[in-house]
Amino acid sequence: MTSPRLDRLIGLTLVLVTGCVIAREWGAADWVNIPCYLLLVVAIAALFVEVRPGRKAFVFVALGLTAALAWRVEDWTSVVMDGLYSASFIAAFFTALATLRSAAEPSEDIRASGRFLAEQPPGRRYLALTLGASAFALLLNYGAIALLGSLATAAAQDEPDAEIRMHRRRRMLLAIQRGFVTSLPWSPLSFAIAISTALIPGGSWEGAVLPALGTAVLMTLIGWGLDTIFKPRLTNPAPVRRKPEGSWALLLPLALLLGILVASVLTLGALTGIRVIGLVLLIVPVMALIWTLLQARSGGAPLGQRLKTYAFRDLPNYRNEVLLLMMAGYIGTVGAPLLSPLVKASGFHPEAMPHWLVLVGLVWIIPLAGQFAMNPILAVTLIAPLLPTPAELGVTPAAMVTAITAGWALGGISSPFTATTMLTGSFGNVGARTVGLRWNGSYMLTCLVALPLWVLAYAYLLG
């Protein structure tokens, strides 16, 4: 059972941690880490009280690994500091992105554009929803699946033919889920980019964005092709569809927001030299604040009320998600130095493997780990320190980031433990494992062949 006092403490500490991390990213002295980590520990303690037992287990694992680290590693305190650094960054990144979701969800313009996409005729519905979900993901994160999924199921429910209704709902939900994950390899607002560029030496969004966009385009074309090829055969003739209400102009507000975001990141990046992730931490909340203020002036809820709702209701409502993500980052960071001696003692040496196999393995191992409930943040933070550097592999940092983010996207499609499959399954009235392995089975098999080939082509021919 949740407590209003704890909710306020959770919201306040997460907001303050975000402020500290923004200051750190923008050049504040190292002393800012002290209050940042103290606030982080308070937030974790408050979250621990309210989360479900499965999430509490991650905190116990983190404490156990910290004790093992203190016993086995001489310089264990610096590793713990690195873990707290990672956890605080993840908390701040999640909190910053949630501001934009909070500002976007009440917007009728956003809902109207989503409704227009869901009402597209079958011939172009898949591409419309896939591209739309990818764009919505930048604003709403997982809320993109929730918004478009609810609109899609409502549109499908209006279909009187039960057979058509079943096929339509399934195809629309798959288009939305696959569209969401195609944003992960390239979006500056995705954890895939934030974590991989931080862990790979020389990695940056600017360097990886073009090959990552290639990953997204390839995944989109594969999904569209499979949807077209395996179009269900109907027992009865398909009815004549009515024309969707509105026009493509309904997407202009979304395009404007995305344009402002990209222009702000590129401009401030050129002026300040701060890495893109640090820019996003500040730009996104400022955009959300201005958007919320404009909504308040247009008759929406007062700004002060919206800010309180965001800090003391919306943020605490994400308690299970934010604790899982923070603990995944911390566990991966402190677990890597413990895992490294075990890997070497086993006789397995990643640096001795064929270089191309290391890149291919990154695309495969992340979704494989996802089948065993390993969050991509945890998998990547554990694996990345064990890998040879890009220079040792003879490839660019962008090639390694592209491989990691491609695997991250496939994990989001196939793992029954990710929010994408669970949300999609809830709208489709099926289990998450059904979505990940049955609905997406042929899609995953095709991507597991095509994406490694793309990564190798970029690493050794284009990059």
Side-chain angles (χ1 to χ4, degrees):
M1 187 169 179
T2 61
S3 162
R5 288 186 177 180
L6 278 179
D7 283 351
R8 287 194 290 272
L9 179 61
I10 290 169
L12 179 62
T13 50
L14 288 177
V15 169
L16 292 175
V17 166
T18 303
C20 291
V21 173
I22 291 173
R24 184 174 70 197
E25 291 288 331
W26 283 71
D30 289 343
W31 65 263
V32 78
N33 285 329
I34 299 174
C36 181
Y37 297 159
L38 291 174
L39 289 165
L40 182 72
V41 171
V42 172
I44 292 171
L47 287 164
F48 179 84
V49 175
E50 294 198 332
V51 297
R52 56 181 182 260
R55 295 295 189 258
K56 286 182 169 69
F58 283 88
V59 178
F60 289 125
V61 171
L63 292 173
L65 286 175
T66 303
L69 191 75
W71 178 44
R72 297 296 299 272
V73 178
E74 182 176 351
D75 189 23
W76 66 274
T77 55
S78 64
V79 179
V80 170
M81 291 298 106
D82 289 342
L84 292 173
Y85 185 102
S86 176
S88 64
F89 171 79
I90 290 170
F93 199 66
F94 186 97
T95 303
L97 297 187
T99 61
L100 201 53
R101 175 176 176 176
S102 179
E105 284 183 334
S107 171
E108 184 53 39
D109 287 339
I110 295 298
R111 292 188 175 275
S113 58
R115 195 176 302 114
F116 176 74
L117 292 173
E119 293 175 351
Q120 291 301 304
R124 59 172 177 263
R125 186 189 299 136
Y126 184 93
L127 276 180
L129 284 173
T130 298
L131 297 175
S134 187
F136 272 86
L138 274 72
L139 300 183
L140 302 176
N141 202 275
Y142 291 110
I145 298 178
L147 172 64
L148 292 177
S150 62
L151 294 172
T153 51
Q157 201 62 34
D158 293 337
E159 175 57 56
D161 188 300
E163 181 187 20
I164 296 176
R165 182 167 62 247
M166 177 189 68
H167 289 307
R168 185 179 183 189
R169 180 174 60 187
R170 177 177 176 273
R171 293 172 71 190
M172 292 172 76
L173 289 174
L174 285 178
I176 293 166
Q177 185 200 15
R178 294 169 185 175
F180 174 85
V181 299
T182 59
S183 72
L184 301 182
W186 64 269
S187 168
L189 307 188
S190 76
F191 276 106
I193 282 289
I195 301 299
S196 59
T197 54
L199 291 175
I200 300 303
S204 68
W205 175 76
E206 299 93 325
V209 64
L210 289 180
L213 279 170
T215 301
V217 170
L218 186 57
M219 293 178 71
T220 300
L221 292 176
I222 289 171
W224 175 62
L226 291 174
D227 181 77
T228 303
I229 293 170
F230 297 108
K231 183 177 180 180
R233 296 179 179 179
L234 302 176
T235 305
N236 301 314
V240 178
R241 302 293 179 189
R242 62 184 178 87
K243 186 178 179 182
E245 295 182 9
S247 67
W248 293 100
L250 290 170
L251 299 178
L252 287 177
L254 177 62
L256 177 62
L257 286 167
L258 299 181
I260 292 172
L261 175 63
V262 172
S264 301
V265 167
L266 294 177
T267 302
L268 281 178
L271 293 175
T272 65
I274 295 172
R275 65 176 183 153
V276 168
I277 304 304
L279 298 173
V280 165
L281 282 171
L282 181 62
I283 292 171
V284 167
V286 169
M287 284 181 59
L289 180 64
I290 295 172
W291 193 1
T292 303
L293 181 60
L294 293 175
Q295 290 173 350
R297 290 184 175 180
S298 301
L303 179 62
Q305 180 183 332
R306 289 284 299 279
L307 293 176
K308 289 180 181 178
T309 299
Y310 164 74
F312 303 137
R313 190 194 70 186
D314 293 351
L315 276 180
N317 282 344
Y318 301 132
R319 57 181 66 84
N320 288 290
E321 292 84 353
V322 71
L323 184 65
L324 170 63
L325 294 173
M326 285 193 296
M327 290 298 95
Y330 180 84
I331 290 170
T333 304
V334 301
L338 294 171
L339 183 61
S340 181
L342 297 177
V343 172
K344 292 180 179 178
S346 70
F348 175 69
H349 300 285
E351 65 276 6
M353 294 173 59
H355 295 171
W356 65 269
L357 188 56
V358 174
L359 295 176
V360 171
L362 286 172
V363 182
W364 288 343
I365 198 169
I366 299 172
L368 177 63
Q371 302 304 312
F372 301 96
M374 188 174 285
N375 183 280
I377 293 178
L378 175 56
V380 172
T381 51
L382 272 175
I383 295 168
L386 306 177
L387 298 174
T389 65
E392 290 171 334
L393 291 177
V395 299
T396 63
M400 288 193 71
V401 171
T402 302
I404 291 172
T405 54
W408 199 307
L410 294 184
I413 275 288
S414 61
S415 171
F417 302 98
T418 60
T420 58
T421 51
M422 288 189 284
L423 278 171
T424 305
S426 68
F427 283 116
N429 296 321
V430 297
R433 193 170 293 278
T434 298
V435 174
L437 300 180
R438 290 183 58 191
W439 283 14
N440 281 305
S442 58
Y443 178 77
M444 274 297 298
L445 290 174
T446 307
C447 286
L448 285 171
V449 174
L451 293 190
L453 292 176
W454 163 244
V455 169
L456 293 178
Y458 176 76
Y460 297 110
L461 298 177
L462 304 175

